[in-house]
Amino acid sequence: MQADVAIIGAGPAGLAAATVLARLGFTQVVVIEREAQPGGIPRHCGHSPFGMREFRRVLRGPAYADRLAAAARAVGVRIMCDTTATALLPGPVLELSTPAGIAQLAARAVLLATGTRESSRIQRMIGGQKPGGILTLGALQGMVHLNGQRPFSRPVVLGTELVSFSALLTCRQAGIHPVAMVEPGCNVIARGPSWALPRLLGVPLMMQSRITEILGRDRVEAVQIVGPDGTRRIATDGVLLTGAFRSEAGLLAMAGIAMDPDTTGPVIDSFGRLDQPGYFAAGNLLRPVETAGACWAEGQRAAEAIAAYLSGALPDREQGAELQIVGDAIRYALPQIILPARPGWHDRVQLRLARAARGELRLTQMGRIIARRRINARPERRITLSLPAGVTAAPLVLTLDERG
């Protein structure tokens, strides 16, 4: 098989990129999707709001996903569902597992938009037994909204990110009544007034608390929680793990593509290019985690960058300036390699903090401040810093002056 551009992942970023590329005149744009239907995570989200930026409408997740797929198909994009990319090869060439068997797809460029996933119980170091009834929010939404199932009735919810409150809404829609919402930190991670939702739904919010052990033989029967008042046991029939996202980057690791341990995604330059020729990345693969609308916008940007790459209009990646982070307050920042502005350029640095902090962000080059911004933020909140268009190849240093 042959294509102008192959895109792995039919979520908002992948479908947006495919649609723009087709509108730019590329006649062979193929989207690879391992699920039976395109649309990505929004398909699993029975709640609103989706689509205000894209369609000027307030939509529920499945309707939003359908619109994205319909827009791509309307301009000639081919969406191959039930198809999994199993390897990234030089060329670029993709090795695929399709319903008809193993196949290869050669393309002039490949965009990876494989998204993100929530950390598992093992990755969160939660001990105890191994009963049934332990789910991530993504798994719960699929069971509730796609399969009409109710896997538990009285779970404990772990996490207070924005998606954690979506978890409460999903539970409410399914007639599930959480018995507690647990947050290890001192503050609710999501922006206010999300903190009010547990109270409105009658769900106790336990701050500075950790689930240390899950108990139960066949099904979850209880969890052990350590908090400010000591250790307590809560009877429950499930554990819902929310947030703590990690990039879905298995394909990148197998291909030996450079990764950033802090973002858990690939190292990209200002145009989303990876360190292997012809490969790009966009959406929540870059870092966990942004809204569907933000990923959609990144997909559009990636399409412009790929079009510029195929016309020979992008600068050499090796001429870029490395972005260096100094200090312990900034957890990650991207793009990690900065180049001067061209079509499809990341016009700002995206970053998140390792802890709650306030001060002045400063981006310096050769000792001169070229961008700055005052912030007062907590971890897991998106922060951006606009870039000047004419950066040079000298190293860039990003710091947070907490005295500023």
Side-chain angles (χ1 to χ4, degrees), residues 186-211:
C186 301
N187 299 294
V188 170
I189 295 174
R191 298 175 190 272
S194 303
W195 58 268
L197 186 59
R199 181 183 299 174
L200 292 173
L201 298 178
V203 179
L205 179 57
M206 302 175 64
M207 302 300 300
Q208 296 181 271
S209 300
R210 298 182 295 110
I211 299 177

Side-chain angles (χ1 to χ4, degrees), residues 245-293:
F245 287 94
R246 305 174 63 84
S247 301
E248 189 74 61
L251 277 173
L252 301 171
M254 288 191 295
I257 290 173
M259 305 284 292
D260 183 337
D262 296 322
T263 63
T264 73
V267 174
I268 62 168
D269 70 8
S270 293
F271 306 97
R273 283 183 297 189
L274 311 185
D275 66 347
Q276 291 194 12
Y279 283 100
F280 291 72
N284 278 331
L285 172 64
L286 301 184
R287 90 282 81 179
V289 58
E290 295 294 347
T291 63

Side-chain angles (χ1 to χ4, degrees), residues 43-343:
R43 290 181 56 241
H44 302 195
C45 302
H47 56 78
S48 58
F50 289 90
M52 289 186 288
R53 179 188 305 187
E54 302 88 331
F55 302 113
R56 311 297 183 198
R57 298 278 303 273
V58 177
L59 301 169
R60 294 163 72 94
Y64 171 72
D66 288 345
R67 282 203 174 206
L68 290 178
R73 285 174 169 140
V75 291
V77 172
R78 180 186 179 192
I79 303 175
M80 297 175 61
C81 291
D82 292 318
T83 300
T84 302
T86 55
L88 311 178
L89 305 176
V93 173
L94 303 181
E95 190 172 271
L96 305 178
S97 175
T98 77
I102 303 299
Q104 286 195 339
L105 171 61
R108 299 169 63 196
V110 170
L111 175 66
L112 288 102
T114 49
T116 187
R117 57 185 166 82
E118 290 161 297
S119 295
S120 68
R121 169 190 177 177
I122 299 299
Q123 291 165 326
R124 298 172 196 245
M125 305 289 286
I126 299 175
Q129 298 166 299
K130 298 180 179 177
I134 305 169
L135 297 175
T136 62
L137 174 58
L140 174 69
Q141 289 179 324
M143 297 177 78
V144 169
H145 297 304
L146 302 183
N147 303 330
Q149 296 172 307
R150 195 174 72 156
F152 37 52
S153 60
R154 301 177 299 107
V156 169
V157 178
L158 175 59
T160 59
E161 297 181 37
L162 185 59
V163 296
S164 310
F165 297 95
S166 294
L168 295 183
L169 296 175
T170 297
C171 287
R172 184 170 182 265
Q173 290 172 327
I176 296 169
H177 303 285
V179 295
M181 189 173 196
V182 178
E183 168 54 46
C186 301
N187 299 294
V188 170
I189 295 174
R191 298 175 190 272
S194 303
W195 58 268
L197 186 59
R199 181 183 299 174
L200 292 173
L201 298 178
V203 179
L205 179 57
M206 302 175 64
M207 302 300 300
Q208 296 181 271
S209 300
R210 298 182 295 110
I211 299 177
T212 58
E213 194 171 358
I214 298 175
L215 306 171
R217 182 169 181 177
D218 298 321
R219 295 278 313 176
V220 174
E221 298 174 1
V223 295
Q224 182 169 283
I225 293 178
V226 175
D229 299 325
T231 300
R232 61 183 293 191
R233 176 173 168 150
I234 296 180
T236 180
D237 65 350
V239 176
L240 183 53
L241 308 171
T242 68
F245 287 94
R246 305 174 63 84
S247 301
E248 189 74 61
L251 277 173
L252 301 171
M254 288 191 295
I257 290 173
M259 305 284 292
D260 183 337
D262 296 322
T263 63
T264 73
V267 174
I268 62 168
D269 70 8
S270 293
F271 306 97
R273 283 183 297 189
L274 311 185
D275 66 347
Q276 291 194 12
Y279 283 100
F280 291 72
N284 278 331
L285 172 64
L286 301 184
R287 90 282 81 179
V289 58
E290 295 294 347
T291 63
C295 293
W296 173 84
E298 283 189 342
Q300 292 197 314
R301 181 210 54 74
E304 295 176 2
I306 290 171
Y309 166 77
L310 293 176
S311 67
L314 294 190
D316 187 347
R317 189 176 189 273
E318 299 303 318
Q319 297 176 359
E322 181 183 355
L323 180 62
Q324 301 174 357
I325 299 173
V326 174
D328 64 354
I330 300 172
R331 178 156 65 96
Y332 68 71
L334 63 94
Q336 294 87 351
I337 299 172
I338 309 294
L339 286 150
R342 296 285 192 284

